[in-house]
Amino acid sequence: QVQLVESGGGLVQAGGSLRLSCAASGSIFSINAMGWYRRAPEKQRELVAAITNGGSTKYADSVKGRFTISRDNAKKMVYLQMNSLKPEDTAVYYCNAGSLGIGGLPGSYWGQGTQVTVSS
């Protein structure tokens, strides 16, 4: 089984920055892609950013140039650096992992979510 735990959310003013972290544990041998999803009030869940074991990345158009996803294999961690935050970035952010590449996301494993609130 795979366990994912997010941290780093909080309240920030527009234009500010936050870094989200996702710690993976358990049987992660088969995991080959991880992503950050978010769900805002009354909006559909969306994939914000994703990364493969090889380092290939994908971003939602709305966050390109502002967010950066990265990974640290040795520490079993995935990060989402969020800069130039906007009020529309306000959402609960979830870490996700799967075994079928970026195209197979969302995978079977989810973190508990961390709240990001951007004030105007």
Side-chain angles (χ1 to χ4, degrees), residues 28-49:
I28 61 174
F29 177 78
S30 63
I31 298 298
N32 58 19
M34 298 187 68
W36 287 96
Y37 286 79
R38 68 185 181 187
R39 187 177 184 93
E42 300 184 358
K43 291 185 177 181
Q44 186 177 353
R45 180 188 66 194
E46 66 173 336
L47 177 64
V48 178

Side-chain angles (χ1 to χ4, degrees), residues 6-23:
E6 304 99 329
S7 62
L11 175 64
V12 65
Q13 292 183 331
S17 298
L18 287 172
R19 189 179 76 156
L20 306 183
S21 299
C22 176

Side-chain angles (χ1 to χ4, degrees), residues 80-94:
L80 185 67
Q81 179 66 45
M82 305 185 294
N83 298 327
S84 301
L85 283 162
K86 304 174 181 179
E88 51 263 45
D89 295 318
T90 295
V92 178
Y93 285 71
Y94 298 90

Side-chain angles (χ1 to χ4, degrees), residues 74-120:
K75 296 182 178 180
K76 301 178 182 179
M77 299 284 289
V78 175
Y79 306 96
L80 185 67
Q81 179 66 45
M82 305 185 294
N83 298 327
S84 301
L85 283 162
K86 304 174 181 179
E88 51 263 45
D89 295 318
T90 295
V92 178
Y93 285 71
Y94 298 90
C95 185
N96 177 260
S99 303
L100 299 175
I102 289 178
L105 295 177
S108 299
Y109 305 102
W110 292 92
Q112 82 287 353
T114 185
Q115 176 71 48
V116 172
T117 303
V118 184
S119 62
S120 60

